[in-house]
Amino acid sequence: MIFFTSDFIEEIREILLNVFSSYMLEINFDEYLYSFALHIHGLIKRANSIQSSGNDFLNNIKKNCPFIYDVSVSIAQKLNKKYNISIADSEIGYISIHIGYLIESSDKVSVLLLCHDYHHINSNIEKKLLDNYQNFITLKLFTTDNRSALINAYSDLIVTTKPLNLIGKEVIVVSPFFTMMDQINVDNAIHKCLENKQKIKRNNILSSFFDEKLFFKSNDFGNKDVIRFLGQNVIDYGLCEEGFVESVLEREQLSSTCFFDTFAIPHALDMNATHTMICVLTSESGIQWDDHVIHIVLMLAVQQNDRKKFMELYNGIVQ
């Protein structure tokens, strides 16, 4: 069994705290810290011996969970500076697995449970819901049949054994036995609620971050020089100070921001814009981006207070 010094554990803790704080993520990772430190200990050993661990699901994570991947890149950058090591993309993929489990516990569905209380029906269904969905829902047991109170009670979903017809409320009627078919119906309803919550967040966030003055259509750029062009326009617009372009290039050097061989989302490591905006360039002839030819570049400038929205913003653009 591997034991770490308290100093090493504290160093890993500080790195996680620093990165999570920069993205405004409130995550309690105390119980998870040792296993993550164990992984980082192995990563450092591999880096020092010029080895890397293969990772077949790296592209899957990068494309489907871009925010989680970006947080992991920031962690890798701090590990790089702290321990003077070079971290391969494959290793960042494994860091993403660890970090993803911590991040994906947010944005739960609010479920209101209204059941008959005969023969412990309510407590039995409550237990089954929590056993199956505790990572996706917050559950409140409702004990009144008052229609007005039901309408005014906040919930994304009502699960009930009593037939209800409430306009504007998502209602699932289940049997007192909560059968397999009941579970399937509830499962579909919860996933629908989660998708709607994410869609509303993305649309609200994205709609406010565009300006026609930061939209360009040009075939004049054939490579990543477009980063300097867009970055200078971001600076001239008054969003960022000198040094922004260098920060974007440093982030790009750590790992490509190209997605689906079609578009790129370059952004700075430091989120210190005066306010959050997206600077866009489209190219019909295409831009050589590493091994790919892309046609759209969306450069992000993120304001510090919007760091918590960065997950929805980043994922929303990719989706």
Side-chain angles (χ1 to χ4, degrees):
M1 183 175 183
I2 299 174
F3 293 95
F4 304 110
T5 65
S6 58
D7 287 344
F8 181 75
I9 292 288
E10 191 57 32
E11 287 167 2
I12 301 303
R13 180 194 299 276
E14 287 301 315
I15 287 174
L16 290 176
L17 284 174
N18 187 284
V19 172
F20 288 162
S21 176
S22 70
Y23 286 93
M24 296 188 72
L25 294 170
E26 298 180 4
I27 300 176
N28 185 344
F29 55 84
D30 287 345
E31 294 183 3
Y32 186 78
L33 182 58
Y34 182 85
S35 63
F36 186 69
L38 180 65
H39 175 76
I40 299 305
H41 181 269
L43 183 154
I44 294 171
K45 289 178 65 176
R46 289 191 294 274
N48 286 331
S49 61
I50 319 179
Q51 299 177 5
S52 65
S53 181
N55 190 329
D56 294 334
F57 42 74
L58 171 66
N59 288 330
N60 186 305
I61 296 170
K62 185 177 178 181
K63 291 179 180 179
N64 295 301
C65 311
F67 176 77
I68 291 172
Y69 184 78
D70 206 74
V71 173
S72 302
V73 168
S74 293
I75 291 173
Q77 182 219 16
K78 293 192 178 299
L79 291 169
N80 187 330
K81 292 182 177 180
K82 180 68 177 179
Y83 301 108
N84 193 27
I85 56 176
S86 178
I87 299 178
D89 260 6
S90 58
E91 295 285 5
I92 297 177
Y94 281 114
I95 292 174
S96 298
I97 294 295
H98 289 263
I99 299 305
Y101 286 120
L102 295 177
I103 292 177
E104 284 298 294
S105 60
S106 60
D107 291 336
K108 294 185 176 182
V109 174
S110 175
V111 177
L112 188 152
L113 178 60
L114 176 64
C115 293
H116 299 87
D117 57 5
Y118 176 73
H119 204 58
H120 306 297
I121 291 174
N122 51 5
S123 59
N124 287 334
I125 294 180
E126 180 182 19
K127 182 179 184 303
K128 289 182 178 180
L129 287 174
L130 290 176
D131 286 345
N132 286 290
Y133 307 108
Q134 61 179 339
N135 292 328
F136 303 99
I137 69 172
T138 58
L139 185 63
K140 179 181 178 182
L141 191 61
F142 208 70
T143 56
T144 179
D145 289 330
N146 186 291
R147 190 177 185 85
S148 177
L150 274 172
I151 293 173
N152 293 325
Y154 173 77
S155 67
D156 298 307
L157 175 67
I158 297 175
V159 176
T160 179
T161 56
K162 306 177 181 182
L164 294 173
N165 185 17
L166 298 176
I167 297 175
K169 293 284 188 178
E170 186 74 20
V171 179
I172 296 293
V173 179
V174 298
S175 72
F177 314 107
F178 199 75
T179 64
M180 181 62 70
M181 184 56 65
D182 292 326
Q183 182 173 329
I184 291 172
N185 290 335
V186 169
D187 187 82
N188 290 335
I190 288 174
H191 281 86
K192 179 181 177 182
C193 287
L194 285 170
E195 289 177 359
N196 287 338
K197 288 164 77 74
Q198 291 301 317
K199 182 178 180 180
I200 291 170
K201 275 191 175 184
R202 285 198 300 265
N203 290 344
N204 289 341
I205 291 171
L206 288 174
S207 63
S208 63
F209 293 151
F210 290 94
D211 187 317
E212 63 181 16
K213 294 178 182 178
L214 291 175
F215 187 93
F216 305 93
K217 185 176 181 180
S218 174
N219 293 322
D220 295 339
F221 302 95
N223 53 43
K224 289 188 180 182
D225 285 345
V226 68
I227 288 179
R228 294 193 178 277
F229 171 77
L230 292 178
Q232 189 59 53
N233 277 278
V234 166
I235 294 171
D236 293 344
Y237 189 89
L239 293 173
C240 299
E241 298 180 354
E242 297 296 333
F244 172 74
V245 174
E246 285 67 29
S247 184
V248 174
L249 290 170
E250 183 183 356
R251 166 61 185 85
E252 188 66 34
Q253 190 174 16
L254 288 169
S255 183
S256 174
T257 56
C258 178
F259 289 89
F260 304 108
D261 304 343
T262 305
F263 61 91
I265 313 179
H267 55 281
L269 286 166
D270 303 313
M271 301 182 191
N272 50 13
T274 56
H275 54 282
T276 299
M277 297 292 289
I278 303 173
C279 187
V280 183
L281 183 139
T282 65
S283 170
E284 291 184 3
S285 61
I287 298 168
Q288 190 71 40
W289 203 278
D290 297 326
D291 298 328
H292 311 290
V293 176
I294 66 172
H295 296 274
I296 307 172
V297 181
L298 303 103
M299 178 173 285
L300 304 189
V302 182
Q303 200 248 5
Q304 185 175 14
N305 291 338
D306 285 334
R307 289 179 176 185
K308 194 168 187 177
K309 296 179 183 177
F310 182 64
M311 175 171 64
E312 288 84 3
L313 173 62
Y314 200 53
N315 286 350
I317 291 173
V318 174
Q319 295 302 324

